[in-house]
mmCIF file of all heavy atoms in Angstrom:
data_model
loop_
_atom_site.group_PDB
_atom_site.id
_atom_site.type_symbol
_atom_site.label_atom_id
_atom_site.label_comp_id
_atom_site.label_asym_id
_atom_site.label_seq_id
_atom_site.Cartn_x
_atom_site.Cartn_y
_atom_site.Cartn_z
ATOM 1 N N SER A 1 0.809 -1.221 0.000
ATOM 2 C CA SER A 1 0.000 0.000 0.000
ATOM 3 C C SER A 1 0.841 1.269 0.000
ATOM 4 O O SER A 1 0.383 2.322 -0.471
ATOM 5 C CB SER A 1 -0.945 0.010 1.206
ATOM 6 O OG SER A 1 -0.230 -0.217 2.403
ATOM 7 N N LEU A 2 2.086 1.199 0.499
ATOM 8 C CA LEU A 2 2.933 2.391 0.474
ATOM 9 C C LEU A 2 3.307 2.774 -0.954
ATOM 10 O O LEU A 2 3.750 3.895 -1.193
ATOM 11 C CB LEU A 2 4.187 2.176 1.314
ATOM 12 C CG LEU A 2 3.977 2.176 2.830
ATOM 13 C CD1 LEU A 2 5.305 2.112 3.559
ATOM 14 C CD2 LEU A 2 3.187 3.410 3.275
ATOM 15 N N GLY A 3 3.122 1.847 -1.891
ATOM 16 C CA GLY A 3 3.310 2.209 -3.288
ATOM 17 C C GLY A 3 2.316 3.263 -3.731
ATOM 18 O O GLY A 3 2.637 4.135 -4.544
ATOM 19 N N VAL A 4 1.079 3.212 -3.202
ATOM 20 C CA VAL A 4 0.066 4.238 -3.511
ATOM 21 C C VAL A 4 0.519 5.586 -2.974
ATOM 22 O O VAL A 4 0.427 6.622 -3.646
ATOM 23 C CB VAL A 4 -1.293 3.846 -2.908
ATOM 24 C CG1 VAL A 4 -2.328 4.942 -3.140
ATOM 25 C CG2 VAL A 4 -1.780 2.523 -3.487
ATOM 26 N N THR A 5 1.019 5.586 -1.725
ATOM 27 C CA THR A 5 1.528 6.821 -1.122
ATOM 28 C C THR A 5 2.650 7.398 -1.975
ATOM 29 O O THR A 5 2.691 8.602 -2.240
ATOM 30 C CB THR A 5 2.037 6.531 0.301
ATOM 31 O OG1 THR A 5 1.007 5.896 1.059
ATOM 32 C CG2 THR A 5 2.461 7.803 0.998
ATOM 33 N N ALA A 6 3.551 6.543 -2.411
ATOM 34 C CA ALA A 6 4.684 7.001 -3.203
ATOM 35 C C ALA A 6 4.239 7.555 -4.553
ATOM 36 O O ALA A 6 4.752 8.581 -5.018
ATOM 37 C CB ALA A 6 5.672 5.846 -3.404
ATOM 38 N N MET A 7 3.273 6.883 -5.194
ATOM 39 C CA MET A 7 2.791 7.367 -6.490
ATOM 40 C C MET A 7 2.137 8.741 -6.352
ATOM 41 O O MET A 7 2.342 9.621 -7.204
ATOM 42 C CB MET A 7 1.817 6.364 -7.098
ATOM 43 C CG MET A 7 2.477 5.103 -7.610
ATOM 44 S SD MET A 7 1.381 4.059 -8.621
ATOM 45 C CE MET A 7 0.137 3.577 -7.428
ATOM 46 N N ALA A 8 1.359 8.918 -5.273
ATOM 47 C CA ALA A 8 0.708 10.218 -5.065
ATOM 48 C C ALA A 8 1.739 11.311 -4.811
ATOM 49 O O ALA A 8 1.669 12.407 -5.398
ATOM 50 C CB ALA A 8 -0.269 10.122 -3.894
ATOM 51 N N ALA A 9 2.709 11.017 -3.943
ATOM 52 C CA ALA A 9 3.745 12.008 -3.647
ATOM 53 C C ALA A 9 4.588 12.306 -4.881
ATOM 54 O O ALA A 9 4.962 13.461 -5.135
ATOM 55 C CB ALA A 9 4.628 11.512 -2.508
ATOM 56 N N ALA A 10 4.886 11.279 -5.675
ATOM 57 C CA ALA A 10 5.687 11.476 -6.883
ATOM 58 C C ALA A 10 4.982 12.402 -7.866
ATOM 59 O O ALA A 10 5.620 13.243 -8.517
ATOM 60 C CB ALA A 10 5.974 10.125 -7.540
ATOM 61 N N LYS A 11 3.667 12.271 -7.954
ATOM 62 C CA LYS A 11 2.913 13.122 -8.873
ATOM 63 C C LYS A 11 2.860 14.558 -8.368
ATOM 64 O O LYS A 11 3.027 15.512 -9.142
ATOM 65 C CB LYS A 11 1.499 12.572 -9.035
ATOM 66 C CG LYS A 11 0.687 13.296 -10.088
ATOM 67 C CD LYS A 11 -0.603 12.573 -10.409
ATOM 68 C CE LYS A 11 -1.355 13.276 -11.533
ATOM 69 N NZ LYS A 11 -2.590 12.562 -11.909
ATOM 70 N N LEU A 12 2.638 14.734 -7.069
ATOM 71 C CA LEU A 12 2.539 16.082 -6.497
ATOM 72 C C LEU A 12 3.888 16.786 -6.489
ATOM 73 O O LEU A 12 3.978 17.995 -6.745
ATOM 74 C CB LEU A 12 1.971 16.008 -5.085
ATOM 75 C CG LEU A 12 0.508 15.579 -4.975
ATOM 76 C CD1 LEU A 12 0.140 15.270 -3.528
ATOM 77 C CD2 LEU A 12 -0.420 16.659 -5.530
ATOM 78 N N TRP A 13 4.920 16.049 -6.195
ATOM 79 C CA TRP A 13 6.263 16.624 -6.088
ATOM 80 C C TRP A 13 7.038 16.585 -7.411
ATOM 81 O O TRP A 13 8.061 17.230 -7.540
ATOM 82 C CB TRP A 13 7.067 15.852 -5.042
ATOM 83 C CG TRP A 13 6.913 16.336 -3.634
ATOM 84 C CD1 TRP A 13 6.592 17.587 -3.211
ATOM 85 C CD2 TRP A 13 7.124 15.556 -2.444
ATOM 86 N NE1 TRP A 13 6.581 17.653 -1.842
ATOM 87 C CE2 TRP A 13 6.906 16.412 -1.341
ATOM 88 C CE3 TRP A 13 7.465 14.239 -2.201
ATOM 89 C CZ2 TRP A 13 7.026 15.987 -0.014
ATOM 90 C CZ3 TRP A 13 7.591 13.815 -0.890
ATOM 91 C CH2 TRP A 13 7.370 14.677 0.195
ATOM 92 N N ARG A 14 6.558 15.745 -8.371
ATOM 93 C CA ARG A 14 7.331 15.478 -9.579
ATOM 94 C C ARG A 14 8.716 14.955 -9.196
ATOM 95 O O ARG A 14 9.756 15.460 -9.631
ATOM 96 C CB ARG A 14 7.439 16.720 -10.456
ATOM 97 C CG ARG A 14 6.078 17.229 -10.871
ATOM 98 C CD ARG A 14 6.137 18.201 -12.003
ATOM 99 N NE ARG A 14 4.809 18.619 -12.385
ATOM 100 C CZ ARG A 14 4.521 19.270 -13.505
ATOM 101 N NH1 ARG A 14 5.492 19.573 -14.349
ATOM 102 N NH2 ARG A 14 3.292 19.624 -13.775
ATOM 103 N N CYS A 15 8.680 13.922 -8.385
ATOM 104 C CA CYS A 15 9.883 13.364 -7.782
ATOM 105 C C CYS A 15 9.872 11.854 -7.999
ATOM 106 O O CYS A 15 8.846 11.201 -7.776
ATOM 107 C CB CYS A 15 9.895 13.702 -6.292
ATOM 108 S SG CYS A 15 11.049 12.777 -5.302
ATOM 109 N N PRO A 16 10.953 11.233 -8.441
ATOM 110 C CA PRO A 16 10.968 9.785 -8.675
ATOM 111 C C PRO A 16 11.012 8.992 -7.364
ATOM 112 O O PRO A 16 11.455 9.505 -6.327
ATOM 113 C CB PRO A 16 12.252 9.564 -9.484
ATOM 114 C CG PRO A 16 13.148 10.678 -9.043
ATOM 115 C CD PRO A 16 12.245 11.861 -8.792
ATOM 116 N N PHE A 17 10.555 7.751 -7.438
ATOM 117 C CA PHE A 17 10.689 6.884 -6.270
ATOM 118 C C PHE A 17 11.246 5.528 -6.676
ATOM 119 O O PHE A 17 11.027 5.044 -7.790
ATOM 120 C CB PHE A 17 9.360 6.732 -5.516
ATOM 121 C CG PHE A 17 8.310 5.887 -6.194
ATOM 122 C CD1 PHE A 17 8.191 4.520 -5.942
ATOM 123 C CD2 PHE A 17 7.406 6.475 -7.087
ATOM 124 C CE1 PHE A 17 7.218 3.751 -6.554
ATOM 125 C CE2 PHE A 17 6.421 5.713 -7.711
ATOM 126 C CZ PHE A 17 6.330 4.354 -7.442
ATOM 127 N N VAL A 18 11.994 4.943 -5.752
ATOM 128 C CA VAL A 18 12.571 3.615 -5.901
ATOM 129 C C VAL A 18 11.781 2.685 -4.998
ATOM 130 O O VAL A 18 11.592 2.972 -3.807
ATOM 131 C CB VAL A 18 14.067 3.615 -5.511
ATOM 132 C CG1 VAL A 18 14.642 2.206 -5.584
ATOM 133 C CG2 VAL A 18 14.858 4.580 -6.387
ATOM 134 N N PHE A 19 11.313 1.588 -5.556
ATOM 135 C CA PHE A 19 10.467 0.648 -4.811
ATOM 136 C C PHE A 19 11.307 -0.569 -4.440
ATOM 137 O O PHE A 19 11.806 -1.287 -5.315
ATOM 138 C CB PHE A 19 9.267 0.238 -5.666
ATOM 139 C CG PHE A 19 8.121 -0.324 -4.874
ATOM 140 C CD1 PHE A 19 7.479 0.437 -3.921
ATOM 141 C CD2 PHE A 19 7.670 -1.616 -5.102
ATOM 142 C CE1 PHE A 19 6.412 -0.069 -3.193
ATOM 143 C CE2 PHE A 19 6.606 -2.136 -4.391
ATOM 144 C CZ PHE A 19 5.975 -1.361 -3.424
ATOM 145 N N TRP A 20 11.454 -0.808 -3.134
ATOM 146 C CA TRP A 20 12.324 -1.863 -2.618
ATOM 147 C C TRP A 20 11.448 -3.053 -2.217
ATOM 148 O O TRP A 20 10.778 -3.022 -1.195
ATOM 149 C CB TRP A 20 13.096 -1.313 -1.429
ATOM 150 C CG TRP A 20 14.192 -2.193 -0.918
ATOM 151 C CD1 TRP A 20 14.611 -3.375 -1.431
ATOM 152 C CD2 TRP A 20 15.017 -1.920 0.217
ATOM 153 N NE1 TRP A 20 15.649 -3.878 -0.680
ATOM 154 C CE2 TRP A 20 15.919 -3.013 0.332
ATOM 155 C CE3 TRP A 20 15.087 -0.870 1.132
ATOM 156 C CZ2 TRP A 20 16.865 -3.073 1.355
ATOM 157 C CZ3 TRP A 20 16.033 -0.933 2.143
ATOM 158 C CH2 TRP A 20 16.921 -2.022 2.246
ATOM 159 N N VAL A 21 11.455 -4.088 -3.032
ATOM 160 C CA VAL A 21 10.573 -5.250 -2.835
ATOM 161 C C VAL A 21 11.275 -6.281 -1.954
ATOM 162 O O VAL A 21 12.305 -6.851 -2.338
ATOM 163 C CB VAL A 21 10.196 -5.893 -4.185
ATOM 164 C CG1 VAL A 21 9.307 -7.109 -3.965
ATOM 165 C CG2 VAL A 21 9.511 -4.871 -5.081
ATOM 166 N N ASN A 22 10.698 -6.540 -0.774
ATOM 167 C CA ASN A 22 11.250 -7.530 0.134
ATOM 168 C C ASN A 22 10.351 -8.743 0.304
ATOM 169 O O ASN A 22 10.790 -9.771 0.826
ATOM 170 C CB ASN A 22 11.523 -6.889 1.493
ATOM 171 C CG ASN A 22 12.691 -5.939 1.453
ATOM 172 O OD1 ASN A 22 13.821 -6.318 1.710
ATOM 173 N ND2 ASN A 22 12.433 -4.678 1.107
ATOM 174 N N ASP A 23 9.107 -8.633 -0.096
ATOM 175 C CA ASP A 23 8.174 -9.764 -0.139
ATOM 176 C C ASP A 23 7.244 -9.549 -1.316
ATOM 177 O O ASP A 23 6.905 -8.404 -1.640
ATOM 178 C CB ASP A 23 7.345 -9.880 1.142
ATOM 179 C CG ASP A 23 8.082 -10.640 2.240
ATOM 180 O OD1 ASP A 23 8.732 -11.659 1.929
ATOM 181 O OD2 ASP A 23 8.011 -10.213 3.404
ATOM 182 N N LEU A 24 6.809 -10.631 -1.929
ATOM 183 C CA LEU A 24 5.981 -10.544 -3.135
ATOM 184 C C LEU A 24 4.506 -10.423 -2.776
ATOM 185 O O LEU A 24 3.734 -11.363 -2.949
ATOM 186 C CB LEU A 24 6.233 -11.763 -4.019
ATOM 187 C CG LEU A 24 7.659 -11.855 -4.588
ATOM 188 C CD1 LEU A 24 7.898 -13.214 -5.205
ATOM 189 C CD2 LEU A 24 7.901 -10.743 -5.607
ATOM 190 N N TRP A 25 4.126 -9.271 -2.251
ATOM 191 C CA TRP A 25 2.717 -9.028 -1.976
ATOM 192 C C TRP A 25 2.038 -8.593 -3.277
ATOM 193 O O TRP A 25 2.659 -7.914 -4.087
ATOM 194 C CB TRP A 25 2.575 -7.940 -0.909
ATOM 195 C CG TRP A 25 2.932 -8.459 0.445
ATOM 196 C CD1 TRP A 25 4.156 -8.910 0.875
ATOM 197 C CD2 TRP A 25 2.053 -8.609 1.564
ATOM 198 N NE1 TRP A 25 4.094 -9.322 2.170
ATOM 199 C CE2 TRP A 25 2.809 -9.147 2.625
ATOM 200 C CE3 TRP A 25 0.696 -8.346 1.762
ATOM 201 C CZ2 TRP A 25 2.256 -9.422 3.873
ATOM 202 C CZ3 TRP A 25 0.156 -8.608 3.010
ATOM 203 C CH2 TRP A 25 0.934 -9.144 4.043
ATOM 204 N N PRO A 26 0.770 -8.995 -3.491
ATOM 205 C CA PRO A 26 -0.149 -9.641 -2.541
ATOM 206 C C PRO A 26 -0.109 -11.163 -2.521
ATOM 207 O O PRO A 26 -0.877 -11.784 -1.809
ATOM 208 C CB PRO A 26 -1.512 -9.161 -3.033
ATOM 209 C CG PRO A 26 -1.343 -9.074 -4.512
ATOM 210 C CD PRO A 26 0.066 -8.580 -4.739
ATOM 211 N N ARG A 27 0.786 -11.795 -3.292
ATOM 212 C CA ARG A 27 0.758 -13.258 -3.330
ATOM 213 C C ARG A 27 1.092 -13.879 -1.981
ATOM 214 O O ARG A 27 0.520 -14.902 -1.599
ATOM 215 C CB ARG A 27 1.714 -13.770 -4.408
ATOM 216 C CG ARG A 27 1.151 -13.622 -5.810
ATOM 217 C CD ARG A 27 1.968 -14.402 -6.797
ATOM 218 N NE ARG A 27 3.245 -13.754 -7.060
ATOM 219 C CZ ARG A 27 4.297 -14.373 -7.582
ATOM 220 N NH1 ARG A 27 4.221 -15.663 -7.865
ATOM 221 N NH2 ARG A 27 5.412 -13.734 -7.819
ATOM 222 N N VAL A 28 2.022 -13.268 -1.242
ATOM 223 C CA VAL A 28 2.342 -13.778 0.084
ATOM 224 C C VAL A 28 1.140 -13.644 1.008
ATOM 225 O O VAL A 28 0.856 -14.534 1.823
ATOM 226 C CB VAL A 28 3.569 -13.040 0.661
ATOM 227 C CG1 VAL A 28 3.759 -13.381 2.132
ATOM 228 C CG2 VAL A 28 4.823 -13.404 -0.129
ATOM 229 N N ALA A 29 0.412 -12.543 0.893
ATOM 230 C CA ALA A 29 -0.787 -12.348 1.718
ATOM 231 C C ALA A 29 -1.824 -13.425 1.433
ATOM 232 O O ALA A 29 -2.508 -13.915 2.346
ATOM 233 C CB ALA A 29 -1.379 -10.965 1.463
ATOM 234 N N LEU A 30 -1.947 -13.815 0.174
ATOM 235 C CA LEU A 30 -2.874 -14.881 -0.193
ATOM 236 C C LEU A 30 -2.417 -16.204 0.415
ATOM 237 O O LEU A 30 -3.215 -16.953 0.997
ATOM 238 C CB LEU A 30 -2.939 -14.993 -1.714
ATOM 239 C CG LEU A 30 -3.914 -16.019 -2.297
ATOM 240 C CD1 LEU A 30 -5.356 -15.610 -2.035
ATOM 241 C CD2 LEU A 30 -3.672 -16.194 -3.792
ATOM 242 N N PHE A 31 -1.132 -16.496 0.319
ATOM 243 C CA PHE A 31 -0.586 -17.738 0.847
ATOM 244 C C PHE A 31 -0.743 -17.831 2.362
ATOM 245 O O PHE A 31 -1.062 -18.890 2.910
ATOM 246 C CB PHE A 31 0.886 -17.846 0.462
ATOM 247 C CG PHE A 31 1.625 -18.942 1.172
ATOM 248 C CD1 PHE A 31 1.302 -20.274 0.955
ATOM 249 C CD2 PHE A 31 2.640 -18.637 2.065
ATOM 250 C CE1 PHE A 31 1.983 -21.280 1.619
ATOM 251 C CE2 PHE A 31 3.317 -19.638 2.724
ATOM 252 C CZ PHE A 31 2.998 -20.969 2.504
ATOM 253 N N LEU A 32 -0.538 -16.712 3.067
ATOM 254 C CA LEU A 32 -0.617 -16.729 4.527
ATOM 255 C C LEU A 32 -2.043 -16.640 5.054
ATOM 256 O O LEU A 32 -2.260 -16.719 6.256
ATOM 257 C CB LEU A 32 0.212 -15.569 5.103
ATOM 258 C CG LEU A 32 1.722 -15.650 4.866
ATOM 259 C CD1 LEU A 32 2.414 -14.429 5.441
ATOM 260 C CD2 LEU A 32 2.311 -16.925 5.458
ATOM 261 N N GLY A 33 -3.003 -16.458 4.162
ATOM 262 C CA GLY A 33 -4.394 -16.432 4.589
ATOM 263 C C GLY A 33 -4.920 -15.070 4.964
ATOM 264 O O GLY A 33 -6.039 -14.946 5.472
ATOM 265 N N PHE A 34 -4.137 -14.010 4.722
ATOM 266 C CA PHE A 34 -4.621 -12.659 5.009
ATOM 267 C C PHE A 34 -5.626 -12.190 3.959
ATOM 268 O O PHE A 34 -6.427 -11.303 4.212
ATOM 269 C CB PHE A 34 -3.462 -11.660 5.060
ATOM 270 C CG PHE A 34 -2.550 -11.851 6.241
ATOM 271 C CD1 PHE A 34 -1.194 -12.002 6.060
ATOM 272 C CD2 PHE A 34 -3.043 -11.897 7.526
ATOM 273 C CE1 PHE A 34 -0.341 -12.180 7.131
ATOM 274 C CE2 PHE A 34 -2.208 -12.075 8.611
ATOM 275 C CZ PHE A 34 -0.855 -12.219 8.412
ATOM 276 N N MET A 35 -5.538 -12.780 2.761
ATOM 277 C CA MET A 35 -6.459 -12.420 1.695
ATOM 278 C C MET A 35 -7.000 -13.699 1.072
ATOM 279 O O MET A 35 -6.389 -14.777 1.196
ATOM 280 C CB MET A 35 -5.757 -11.586 0.616
ATOM 281 C CG MET A 35 -5.186 -10.272 1.075
ATOM 282 S SD MET A 35 -4.567 -9.263 -0.301
ATOM 283 C CE MET A 35 -6.112 -8.690 -1.013
ATOM 284 N N ALA A 36 -8.133 -13.579 0.403
ATOM 285 C CA ALA A 36 -8.724 -14.696 -0.324
ATOM 286 C C ALA A 36 -8.877 -14.296 -1.792
ATOM 287 O O ALA A 36 -8.896 -13.110 -2.134
ATOM 288 C CB ALA A 36 -10.083 -15.060 0.274
ATOM 289 N N GLU A 37 -8.944 -15.296 -2.647
ATOM 290 C CA GLU A 37 -9.201 -15.016 -4.061
ATOM 291 C C GLU A 37 -10.505 -14.237 -4.195
ATOM 292 O O GLU A 37 -11.497 -14.543 -3.541
ATOM 293 C CB GLU A 37 -9.322 -16.335 -4.830
ATOM 294 C CG GLU A 37 -8.039 -17.149 -4.875
ATOM 295 C CD GLU A 37 -7.147 -16.748 -6.037
ATOM 296 O OE1 GLU A 37 -7.434 -15.717 -6.673
ATOM 297 O OE2 GLU A 37 -6.173 -17.475 -6.283
#
C-alpha cells in the first residue's frame, strides 16, 4: 500500500521513487491467509 503513497507524492512533487521489494505481496498475503481469491 505504500506504493500508492509514493505514487501520489511522486505526482505532487514530480519526484521519482525507488520501490524496494522484500516480499511478493499480494501473493504472500494470499498464501498466509490474510487475503482470499
Side-chain angles (χ1 to χ4, degrees):
S1 52
L2 287 186
V4 176
T5 306
M7 288 191 296
K11 186 169 184 178
L12 292 168
W13 273 333
R14 301 195 178 193
C15 165
F17 72 92
V18 176
F19 200 61
W20 189 4
V21 179
N22 289 268
D23 276 319
L24 295 168
W25 286 64
R27 283 193 286 161
V28 170
L30 183 68
F31 169 65
L32 295 178
F34 291 126
M35 299 187 75
E37 295 273 11

